[in-house]
Coordinates of all heavy atoms in Angstrom, one line a residue:
M1 N 0.8 -1.2 0.0 CA 0.0 -0.1 0.0 C 0.9 1.3 0.0 O 0.7 2.1 -0.7 CB -0.9 -0.1 1.2 CG -1.9 1.1 1.3 SD -3.1 0.7 0.0 CE -4.3 2.0 0.5
F2 N 1.9 1.3 0.9 CA 2.8 2.4 0.9 C 3.5 2.7 -0.4 O 3.6 3.8 -0.9 CB 3.8 2.2 2.0 CG 4.8 3.3 2.2 CD1 4.5 4.5 2.7 CD2 6.2 3.1 1.7 CE1 5.5 5.5 2.8 CE2 7.1 4.0 1.8 CZ 6.8 5.3 2.4
I3 N 4.0 1.6 -1.0 CA 4.8 1.8 -2.3 C 3.8 2.2 -3.4 O 4.2 3.1 -4.2 CB 5.5 0.5 -2.6 CG1 6.6 0.2 -1.6 CG2 6.1 0.5 -4.0 CD1 7.3 -1.1 -1.7
K4 N 2.7 1.6 -3.5 CA 1.7 2.0 -4.4 C 1.2 3.5 -4.3 O 1.2 4.2 -5.3 CB 0.5 1.2 -4.4 CG 0.6 -0.2 -4.9 CD -0.7 -1.0 -4.9 CE -0.4 -2.4 -5.4 NZ -1.7 -3.2 -5.4
R5 N 1.0 3.9 -3.1 CA 0.6 5.3 -2.9 C 1.8 6.3 -3.3 O 1.5 7.3 -4.1 CB 0.3 5.5 -1.4 CG -0.2 7.0 -1.2 CD -0.5 7.2 0.3 NE 0.6 7.1 1.1 CZ 0.6 6.4 2.1 NH1 -0.4 5.7 2.6 NH2 1.8 6.2 2.9
N6 N 3.0 5.9 -2.9 CA 4.1 6.8 -3.3 C 4.4 6.8 -4.8 O 4.7 7.8 -5.5 CB 5.4 6.4 -2.6 CG 5.4 6.9 -1.2 OD1 4.7 7.7 -0.8 ND2 6.2 6.2 -0.3
N7 N 4.2 5.6 -5.5 CA 4.3 5.4 -6.9 C 3.3 6.4 -7.6 O 3.6 7.1 -8.6 CB 4.3 4.0 -7.2 CG 4.6 3.8 -8.7 OD1 5.2 4.6 -9.4 ND2 4.4 2.6 -9.3
R8 N 2.1 6.4 -7.1 CA 1.1 7.1 -7.7 C 1.4 8.6 -7.6 O 1.2 9.4 -8.4 CB -0.3 6.8 -7.1 CG -1.5 7.5 -7.7 CD -2.9 7.1 -7.1 NE -2.8 6.0 -6.1 CZ -3.0 6.2 -4.8 NH1 -3.1 7.4 -4.3 NH2 -3.0 5.2 -4.0
T9 N 1.8 9.0 -6.4 CA 2.1 10.3 -6.1 C 3.2 10.9 -7.0 O 3.1 12.0 -7.6 CB 2.5 10.6 -4.6 OG1 1.4 10.1 -3.9 CG2 2.7 12.1 -4.3
L10 N 4.2 10.1 -7.2 CA 5.3 10.4 -8.1 C 5.0 10.5 -9.5 O 5.3 11.5 -10.2 CB 6.5 9.3 -7.9 CG 7.7 9.7 -8.8 CD1 8.5 11.0 -8.5 CD2 8.7 8.5 -8.7
R11 N 4.1 9.6 -9.9 CA 3.6 9.6 -11.3 C 2.7 10.9 -11.5 O 2.9 11.5 -12.5 CB 2.8 8.4 -11.6 CG 2.5 8.2 -13.1 CD 1.7 7.0 -13.4 NE 2.0 5.8 -12.5 CZ 1.1 5.3 -11.7 NH1 -0.1 5.7 -11.6 NH2 1.4 4.3 -11.0
E12 N 1.9 11.3 -10.6 CA 1.1 12.5 -10.7 C 2.0 13.7 -10.8 O 1.7 14.7 -11.6 CB 0.1 12.7 -9.6 CG -1.0 11.6 -9.6 CD -1.9 11.5 -8.4 OE1 -1.6 12.3 -7.4 OE2 -2.8 10.7 -8.4
W13 N 3.0 13.8 -9.9 CA 3.9 14.9 -9.9 C 4.6 15.0 -11.2 O 4.7 16.1 -11.8 CB 4.8 14.8 -8.7 CG 5.9 15.8 -8.8 CD1 5.9 17.2 -8.5 CD2 7.3 15.6 -9.2 NE1 7.1 17.7 -8.6 CE2 8.0 16.8 -9.1 CE3 8.1 14.4 -9.5 CZ2 9.3 17.0 -9.3 CZ3 9.4 14.6 -9.9 CH2 10.0 15.8 -9.7
W14 N 5.1 13.9 -11.7 CA 5.9 13.9 -12.9 C 5.1 14.3 -14.1 O 5.7 15.1 -15.0 CB 6.4 12.5 -13.2 CG 7.4 12.4 -14.3 CD1 7.1 12.0 -15.6 CD2 8.8 12.7 -14.3 NE1 8.3 12.1 -16.4 CE2 9.3 12.5 -15.6 CE3 9.6 13.1 -13.3 CZ2 10.7 12.7 -15.9 CZ3 11.0 13.3 -13.6 CH2 11.5 13.1 -14.8
Q15 N 3.8 13.9 -14.2 CA 2.9 14.3 -15.3 C 2.3 15.7 -15.3 O 1.8 16.2 -16.2 CB 1.9 13.2 -15.5 CG 2.6 11.9 -15.9 CD 1.6 10.7 -16.0 OE1 0.4 10.9 -15.6 NE2 2.0 9.5 -16.5
S16 N 2.3 16.3 -14.1 CA 1.8 17.6 -13.9 C 2.6 18.7 -14.6 O 3.7 18.5 -14.8 CB 1.5 17.9 -12.4 OG 2.8 18.1 -11.9
P17 N 2.0 19.8 -15.0 CA 2.8 20.9 -15.5 C 3.7 21.4 -14.6 O 3.6 21.4 -13.4 CB 1.7 22.0 -15.8 CG 0.4 21.3 -15.9 CD 0.6 20.1 -14.9
V18 N 4.9 21.9 -15.1 CA 5.9 22.5 -14.4 C 5.5 23.8 -13.7 O 5.0 24.6 -14.4 CB 7.3 22.6 -15.2 CG1 8.3 23.3 -14.3 CG2 7.7 21.4 -15.7
T19 N 5.8 24.0 -12.4 CA 5.4 25.2 -11.7 C 6.7 25.9 -11.3 O 7.8 25.4 -11.5 CB 4.7 24.9 -10.4 OG1 5.5 24.2 -9.5 CG2 3.4 24.1 -10.7
M20 N 6.5 27.2 -10.9 CA 7.7 28.0 -10.4 C 8.4 27.3 -9.2 O 9.6 27.4 -9.0 CB 7.2 29.3 -10.1 CG 7.0 30.2 -11.2 SD 8.3 30.4 -12.5 CE 9.5 31.3 -11.4
K21 N 7.6 26.6 -8.4 CA 8.1 25.9 -7.2 C 9.0 24.7 -7.7 O 10.1 24.5 -7.1 CB 6.9 25.3 -6.4 CG 7.4 24.6 -5.1 CD 6.3 24.2 -4.3 CE 6.7 23.3 -3.1 NZ 5.5 22.8 -2.3
D22 N 8.6 24.1 -8.8 CA 9.3 23.0 -9.4 C 10.7 23.5 -9.9 O 11.9 22.8 -9.7 CB 8.7 22.2 -10.4 CG 7.5 21.5 -10.1 OD1 7.5 21.0 -8.8 OD2 6.5 21.2 -10.8
R23 N 10.7 24.6 -10.5 CA 12.0 25.3 -11.1 C 12.8 25.8 -10.0 O 14.0 25.5 -10.1 CB 11.5 26.5 -12.0 CG 10.8 26.0 -13.3 CD 10.8 27.0 -14.4 NE 9.9 26.7 -15.5 CZ 10.2 26.0 -16.5 NH1 11.4 25.4 -16.5 NH2 9.3 25.7 -17.4
A24 N 12.2 26.3 -9.0 CA 13.2 26.7 -7.9 C 13.9 25.6 -7.1 O 15.0 25.5 -6.9 CB 12.3 27.5 -6.8
A25 N 13.0 24.4 -6.9 CA 13.6 23.3 -6.3 C 14.6 22.6 -7.3 O 15.6 22.1 -6.8 CB 12.4 22.3 -6.1
G26 N 14.3 22.6 -8.6 CA 15.2 22.1 -9.5 C 16.6 22.9 -9.5 O 17.7 22.3 -9.7
A27 N 16.5 24.2 -9.5 CA 17.7 25.0 -9.4 C 18.4 24.7 -8.2 O 19.7 24.7 -8.2 CB 17.3 26.5 -9.6
L28 N 17.8 24.7 -7.1 CA 18.4 24.4 -5.8 C 19.2 23.0 -5.8 O 20.2 22.9 -5.4 CB 17.4 24.5 -4.6 CG 18.0 24.4 -3.2 CD1 18.9 25.6 -2.9 CD2 16.9 24.3 -2.2
V29 N 18.5 22.0 -6.2 CA 18.9 20.7 -6.2 C 20.1 20.5 -7.2 O 21.2 20.0 -7.0 CB 17.9 19.6 -6.5 CG1 18.5 18.3 -6.8 CG2 16.9 19.5 -5.3
G30 N 19.9 21.2 -8.4 CA 20.9 21.2 -9.5 C 22.2 21.9 -9.0 O 23.3 21.5 -9.3
G31 N 22.0 23.0 -8.3 CA 23.2 23.7 -7.8 C 24.0 22.9 -6.8 O 25.2 22.9 -6.9
F32 N 23.3 22.4 -5.7 CA 24.0 21.6 -4.8 C 24.6 20.4 -5.4 O 25.8 20.0 -5.1 CB 23.1 21.3 -3.6 CG 22.9 22.4 -2.5 CD1 21.7 23.0 -2.4 CD2 24.1 22.9 -1.9 CE1 21.5 24.0 -1.5 CE2 23.8 23.9 -1.0 CZ 22.6 24.5 -0.8
G33 N 23.8 19.7 -6.3 CA 24.4 18.4 -6.9 C 25.5 18.8 -7.7 O 26.5 18.1 -7.8
G34 N 25.4 19.9 -8.5 CA 26.6 20.3 -9.4 C 27.8 20.7 -8.7 O 28.9 20.4 -9.0
F35 N 27.6 21.2 -7.5 CA 28.8 21.6 -6.6 C 29.5 20.3 -6.3 O 30.7 20.2 -6.4 CB 28.3 22.3 -5.3 CG 29.4 22.5 -4.4 CD1 30.3 23.5 -4.4 CD2 29.5 21.6 -3.2 CE1 31.3 23.7 -3.5 CE2 30.5 21.7 -2.3 CZ 31.4 22.8 -2.4
W36 N 28.8 19.3 -5.7 CA 29.5 18.1 -5.3 C 30.1 17.4 -6.5 O 31.1 16.7 -6.4 CB 28.6 17.3 -4.5 CG 28.4 17.8 -3.1 CD1 27.3 18.3 -2.6 CD2 29.4 17.9 -2.2 NE1 27.6 18.8 -1.3 CE2 28.9 18.5 -1.0 CE3 30.8 17.5 -2.2 CZ2 29.6 18.8 0.2 CZ3 31.5 17.8 -0.9 CH2 30.9 18.4 0.2
I37 N 29.4 17.3 -7.7 CA 29.9 16.7 -8.9 C 31.2 17.4 -9.3 O 32.2 16.7 -9.7 CB 28.9 16.6 -10.0 CG1 27.7 15.7 -9.6 CG2 29.5 16.3 -11.3 CD1 26.6 15.7 -10.5
G38 N 31.2 18.8 -9.3 CA 32.4 19.5 -9.6 C 33.6 19.2 -8.7 O 34.7 19.0 -9.1
V39 N 33.3 19.2 -7.3 CA 34.4 19.1 -6.4 C 34.9 17.5 -6.5 O 36.1 17.4 -6.7 CB 33.9 19.3 -4.9 CG1 34.8 18.8 -4.0 CG2 33.6 20.8 -4.8
L40 N 34.0 16.7 -6.4 CA 34.4 15.2 -6.5 C 35.0 14.7 -7.8 O 35.9 14.0 -7.9 CB 33.3 14.3 -6.0 CG 32.8 14.5 -4.5 CD1 31.6 13.7 -4.3 CD2 33.9 14.2 -3.6
G41 N 34.4 15.3 -8.9 CA 34.8 15.0 -10.2 C 36.2 15.5 -10.5 O 37.1 14.8 -11.1
R42 N 36.5 16.8 -10.1 CA 37.9 17.3 -10.3 C 38.9 16.6 -9.5 O 40.0 16.2 -10.0 CB 37.9 18.8 -10.0 CG 39.3 19.4 -10.1 CD 39.9 19.1 -11.5 NE 41.4 19.5 -11.5 CZ 42.4 18.6 -11.4 NH1 42.0 17.4 -11.3 NH2 43.6 19.0 -11.5
I43 N 38.5 16.3 -8.3 CA 39.5 15.5 -7.4 C 39.7 14.0 -7.9 O 40.7 13.5 -8.0 CB 39.1 15.5 -5.9 CG1 39.2 17.0 -5.4 CG2 39.9 14.6 -5.1 CD1 38.6 17.3 -4.0
G44 N 38.6 13.5 -8.3 CA 38.6 12.1 -8.7 C 39.2 11.7 -10.0 O 39.8 10.7 -10.3
L45 N 38.9 12.7 -11.0 CA 39.2 12.4 -12.3 C 40.5 13.1 -12.8 O 41.0 12.8 -13.9 CB 38.1 12.7 -13.3 CG 36.8 11.9 -13.0 CD1 35.7 12.5 -13.9 CD2 37.1 10.4 -13.2
G46 N 40.9 14.1 -12.1 CA 42.0 14.9 -12.6 C 43.4 14.4 -11.9 O 43.4 13.5 -11.1
T47 N 44.4 15.1 -12.3 CA 45.7 14.8 -11.8 C 45.8 15.3 -10.4 O 45.3 16.5 -10.1 CB 46.8 15.3 -12.7 OG1 46.7 16.7 -12.8 CG2 46.8 14.6 -14.0
L48 N 46.5 14.6 -9.6 CA 46.8 15.1 -8.1 C 48.2 15.5 -8.0 O 49.1 14.9 -8.6 CB 46.4 14.0 -7.2 CG 44.8 13.7 -7.2 CD1 44.5 12.6 -6.1 CD2 44.0 15.0 -6.8
P49 N 48.6 16.3 -7.1 CA 47.8 17.2 -6.3 C 47.1 18.3 -7.2 O 47.6 18.7 -8.2 CB 48.8 17.8 -5.3 CG 50.1 17.8 -6.0 CD 50.0 16.6 -7.0
V50 N 46.0 18.9 -6.6 CA 45.4 19.8 -7.2 C 45.1 21.1 -6.2 O 45.0 20.8 -5.1 CB 43.9 19.3 -7.7 CG1 43.1 18.8 -6.6 CG2 43.2 20.4 -8.5
S51 N 45.2 22.3 -6.8 CA 45.1 23.5 -5.9 C 43.7 23.7 -5.6 O 42.7 23.3 -6.3 CB 45.7 24.6 -6.6 OG 44.8 25.0 -7.8
F52 N 43.5 24.3 -4.4 CA 42.1 24.7 -3.9 C 41.4 25.5 -4.9 O 40.2 25.4 -5.1 CB 42.2 25.2 -2.6 CG 40.8 25.7 -2.0 CD1 39.9 24.7 -1.6 CD2 40.5 27.0 -2.0 CE1 38.7 25.0 -1.0 CE2 39.3 27.3 -1.5 CZ 38.4 26.4 -1.0
S53 N 42.1 26.4 -5.5 CA 41.5 27.4 -6.5 C 40.9 26.6 -7.7 O 39.9 26.9 -8.2 CB 42.5 28.5 -6.9 OG 43.5 27.9 -7.5
E54 N 41.7 25.6 -8.1 CA 41.1 24.9 -9.3 C 39.9 24.0 -9.0 O 38.9 24.0 -9.8 CB 42.2 24.0 -9.8 CG 41.9 23.3 -11.1 CD 43.0 22.5 -11.7 OE1 44.2 22.8 -11.4 OE2 42.8 21.7 -12.7
V55 N 39.9 23.5 -7.8 CA 38.8 22.7 -7.4 C 37.5 23.7 -7.2 O 36.4 23.4 -7.6 CB 39.0 22.0 -6.0 CG1 37.7 21.4 -5.4 CG2 40.0 20.9 -6.2
T56 N 37.7 24.9 -6.7 CA 36.7 25.9 -6.5 C 36.2 26.4 -7.9 O 35.0 26.5 -8.0 CB 37.3 27.1 -5.8 OG1 37.8 26.7 -4.5 CG2 36.2 28.1 -5.5
A57 N 37.1 26.6 -8.8 CA 36.7 26.9 -10.2 C 35.8 25.8 -10.8 O 34.7 26.1 -11.3 CB 37.8 27.2 -11.1
W58 N 36.2 24.6 -10.7 CA 35.4 23.5 -11.2 C 34.0 23.4 -10.5 O 33.0 23.3 -11.1 CB 36.1 22.2 -11.0 CG 36.9 21.9 -12.1 CD1 38.1 22.4 -12.5 CD2 36.9 20.8 -13.1 NE1 38.8 21.8 -13.5 CE2 37.9 20.8 -13.9 CE3 35.8 19.8 -13.2 CZ2 38.1 19.9 -15.0 CZ3 36.0 18.9 -14.3 CH2 37.0 19.0 -15.2
A59 N 34.0 23.7 -9.2 CA 32.8 23.6 -8.4 C 31.8 24.7 -8.7 O 30.6 24.5 -9.0 CB 33.1 23.6 -6.9
C60 N 32.4 25.8 -9.0 CA 31.5 27.0 -9.4 C 30.9 26.9 -10.8 O 29.8 27.1 -11.0 CB 32.3 28.4 -9.4 SG 32.8 28.9 -7.8
V61 N 31.7 26.3 -11.8 CA 31.2 26.2 -13.1 C 30.1 25.1 -13.1 O 29.1 25.3 -13.8 CB 32.4 25.9 -14.1 CG1 31.9 25.4 -15.4 CG2 33.2 27.0 -14.2
I62 N 30.3 24.0 -12.6 CA 29.3 22.9 -12.5 C 28.2 23.2 -11.7 O 27.0 22.9 -12.0 CB 30.0 21.6 -12.1 CG1 31.3 21.3 -12.9 CG2 29.1 20.5 -12.1 CD1 31.0 21.0 -14.3
T63 N 28.3 24.1 -10.7 CA 27.1 24.6 -9.9 C 26.3 25.5 -10.8 O 25.0 25.2 -10.7 CB 27.6 25.3 -8.7 OG1 28.4 24.5 -7.8 CG2 26.5 26.0 -7.9
I64 N 26.8 26.3 -11.5 CA 26.0 27.2 -12.5 C 25.4 26.3 -13.5 O 24.2 26.5 -13.8 CB 27.0 28.3 -13.0 CG1 27.4 29.3 -12.0 CG2 26.3 29.0 -14.2 CD1 28.5 30.3 -12.4
F65 N 26.1 25.4 -14.0 CA 25.6 24.5 -15.1 C 24.3 23.7 -14.4 O 23.3 23.5 -15.1 CB 26.5 23.6 -15.6 CG 26.0 22.6 -16.7 CD1 25.6 23.0 -17.9 CD2 25.8 21.4 -16.3 CE1 25.0 22.1 -18.8 CE2 25.3 20.4 -17.1 CZ 24.9 20.8 -18.4
G66 N 24.6 23.1 -13.2 CA 23.5 22.4 -12.6 C 22.3 23.2 -12.3 O 21.2 22.8 -12.5
A67 N 22.5 24.4 -11.8 CA 21.3 25.2 -11.5 C 20.6 25.7 -12.8 O 19.4 25.6 -12.8 CB 21.8 26.5 -10.7
S68 N 21.3 26.0 -13.8 CA 20.7 26.2 -15.1 C 19.9 25.1 -15.7 O 18.9 25.2 -16.2 CB 21.7 26.7 -16.1 OG 22.4 27.8 -15.7
A69 N 20.5 23.9 -15.6 CA 19.7 22.8 -16.1 C 18.5 22.5 -15.1 O 17.5 22.0 -15.6 CB 20.7 21.5 -16.0
G70 N 18.6 22.8 -13.9 CA 17.5 22.7 -12.9 C 16.3 23.6 -13.3 O 15.2 23.3 -13.1
I71 N 16.7 24.8 -13.9 CA 15.7 25.7 -14.2 C 15.1 25.2 -15.5 O 13.8 25.3 -15.7 CB 16.2 27.2 -14.4 CG1 16.6 27.7 -13.0 CG2 15.3 28.1 -15.1 CD1 17.4 28.9 -13.0
A72 N 15.8 24.7 -16.5 CA 15.4 24.4 -17.8 C 14.6 23.0 -17.7 O 13.5 22.8 -18.4 CB 16.5 24.3 -18.7
F73 N 15.2 22.1 -16.9 CA 14.5 20.7 -16.8 C 14.4 20.3 -15.4 O 15.1 19.5 -14.8 CB 15.5 19.8 -17.6 CG 15.9 20.2 -18.9 CD1 17.1 20.6 -19.2 CD2 15.0 20.0 -20.0 CE1 17.6 20.9 -20.4 CE2 15.4 20.5 -21.2 CZ 16.7 20.9 -21.5
P74 N 13.4 21.0 -14.7 CA 13.4 20.8 -13.2 C 13.1 19.4 -12.7 O 13.8 19.0 -11.7 CB 12.3 21.8 -12.8 CG 11.5 22.0 -14.0 CD 12.3 21.8 -15.1
K75 N 12.3 18.7 -13.3 CA 11.9 17.4 -12.7 C 12.9 16.3 -13.0 O 13.4 15.6 -12.0 CB 10.5 17.0 -13.4 CG 9.5 17.8 -12.8 CD 8.1 17.4 -13.3 CE 7.0 18.4 -12.8 NZ 5.6 18.0 -13.1
P76 N 13.5 16.2 -14.2 CA 14.6 15.3 -14.3 C 15.8 15.6 -13.4 O 16.5 14.7 -12.9 CB 15.0 15.3 -15.8 CG 13.8 15.8 -16.5 CD 13.1 16.7 -15.5
V77 N 16.2 16.8 -13.4 CA 17.3 17.3 -12.6 C 17.1 16.9 -11.1 O 17.9 16.4 -10.4 CB 17.7 18.7 -12.9 CG1 18.6 19.2 -11.8 CG2 18.2 19.0 -14.2
A78 N 15.9 17.1 -10.7 CA 15.5 17.0 -9.3 C 15.6 15.5 -8.9 O 16.1 15.1 -7.8 CB 14.1 17.5 -8.9
V79 N 15.2 14.6 -9.8 CA 15.3 13.2 -9.6 C 16.7 12.7 -9.7 O 17.1 12.0 -8.8 CB 14.3 12.5 -10.5 CG1 14.5 11.0 -10.5 CG2 12.9 12.9 -10.2
V80 N 17.4 13.0 -10.6 CA 18.8 12.5 -10.9 C 19.8 13.1 -9.9 O 20.6 12.3 -9.4 CB 19.2 12.7 -12.4 CG1 20.6 12.4 -12.6 CG2 18.3 12.0 -13.3
L81 N 19.8 14.3 -9.6 CA 20.7 15.0 -8.8 C 20.5 15.1 -7.3 O 21.3 15.5 -6.5 CB 21.1 16.3 -9.3 CG 21.8 16.4 -10.6 CD1 22.1 17.9 -11.0 CD2 23.0 15.6 -10.7
F82 N 19.3 14.6 -7.0 CA 19.0 14.7 -5.5 C 19.9 14.0 -4.6 O 20.3 14.5 -3.6 CB 17.5 14.2 -5.3 CG 17.1 14.3 -3.8 CD1 16.7 15.6 -3.3 CD2 17.0 13.2 -3.1 CE1 16.3 15.7 -2.0 CE2 16.6 13.4 -1.7 CZ 16.3 14.6 -1.2
P83 N 20.4 12.8 -4.9 CA 21.3 12.1 -4.1 C 22.6 12.9 -3.9 O 23.2 12.9 -2.8 CB 21.6 10.8 -4.7 CG 20.5 10.5 -5.6 CD 20.0 11.8 -6.0
F84 N 23.1 13.6 -4.9 CA 24.2 14.5 -4.8 C 24.0 15.7 -3.9 O 24.9 16.2 -3.3 CB 24.8 14.9 -6.3 CG 25.4 13.7 -7.0 CD1 24.7 13.1 -8.0 CD2 26.6 13.3 -6.7 CE1 25.2 12.1 -8.7 CE2 27.2 12.2 -7.4 CZ 26.4 11.6 -8.4
S85 N 22.8 16.2 -4.0 CA 22.5 17.4 -3.3 C 22.5 17.2 -1.8 O 22.7 18.1 -1.0 CB 21.1 18.0 -3.7 OG 20.0 17.2 -3.3
I86 N 22.2 16.1 -1.3 CA 22.3 15.7 0.1 C 23.5 15.2 0.6 O 23.7 14.9 1.7 CB 21.1 15.0 0.5 CG1 21.0 13.5 -0.1 CG2 19.7 15.6 0.2 CD1 20.0 12.6 0.4
F87 N 24.4 15.1 -0.3 CA 25.8 14.5 0.1 C 26.5 15.4 1.0 O 26.5 16.6 0.9 CB 26.7 14.3 -1.2 CG 27.9 13.7 -0.9 CD1 28.2 12.3 -0.7 CD2 29.1 14.5 -0.8 CE1 29.4 11.8 -0.4 CE2 30.3 14.0 -0.6 CZ 30.5 12.6 -0.4
G88 N 27.0 14.7 2.2 CA 27.6 15.6 3.2 C 26.7 16.3 4.1 O 27.2 17.1 5.0
G89 N 25.4 16.2 3.9 CA 24.4 17.0 4.7 C 23.8 16.1 5.9 O 23.1 16.6 6.6
G90 N 24.2 14.9 6.1 CA 23.7 14.0 7.1 C 24.5 14.2 8.4 O 25.3 15.1 8.6
N91 N 24.1 13.4 9.3 CA 24.7 13.5 10.6 C 26.0 12.9 10.7 O 26.5 11.9 10.7 CB 23.8 12.7 11.7 CG 22.4 13.6 11.9 OD1 22.4 14.7 11.6 ND2 21.4 12.8 12.3

């Protein structure tokens, strides 16, 4: 019952028209997700050692890209990048 209800709720949300609230949430999730992708991507895929300014530059660029994608495509960005947006925010 719980899974069916959540599945129905997700389906209704996905098929509903995009609202300003969806775009704001997409931008927020895209920005935070992009930040962590930029930081971890540069550290994990680039040559080491890396300067803090280079990691910051990557994080800023990917954050802007993620937020822009969240405004343009709010629902897919919110679903795909949500795990990255909460990375490091737990206890």
Side-chain angles (χ1 to χ4, degrees):
M1 186 72 168
F2 174 76
I3 294 174
K4 286 184 180 182
R5 183 178 64 229
N6 284 341
N7 191 9
R8 185 175 357 102
T9 303
L10 179 64
R11 193 176 329 114
E12 289 171 0
W13 170 75
W14 188 263
Q15 294 174 351
S16 68
V18 176
T19 64
M20 288 302 293
K21 183 179 175 182
D22 290 334
R23 291 194 191 280
L28 186 67
V29 169
F32 280 118
F35 171 79
W36 284 113
I37 289 173
V39 168
L40 297 174
R42 176 56 190 100
I43 292 172
L45 299 176
T47 58
L48 293 177
V50 61
S51 68
F52 180 74
S53 62
E54 188 172 344
V55 173
T56 304
W58 273 69
C60 289
V61 169
I62 305 299
T63 298
I64 292 169
F65 178 75
S68 300
I71 292 170
F73 311 105
K75 292 181 181 184
V77 168
V79 170
V80 172
L81 292 184
F82 183 73
F84 290 105
S85 69
I86 60 172
F87 181 76
N91 291 336

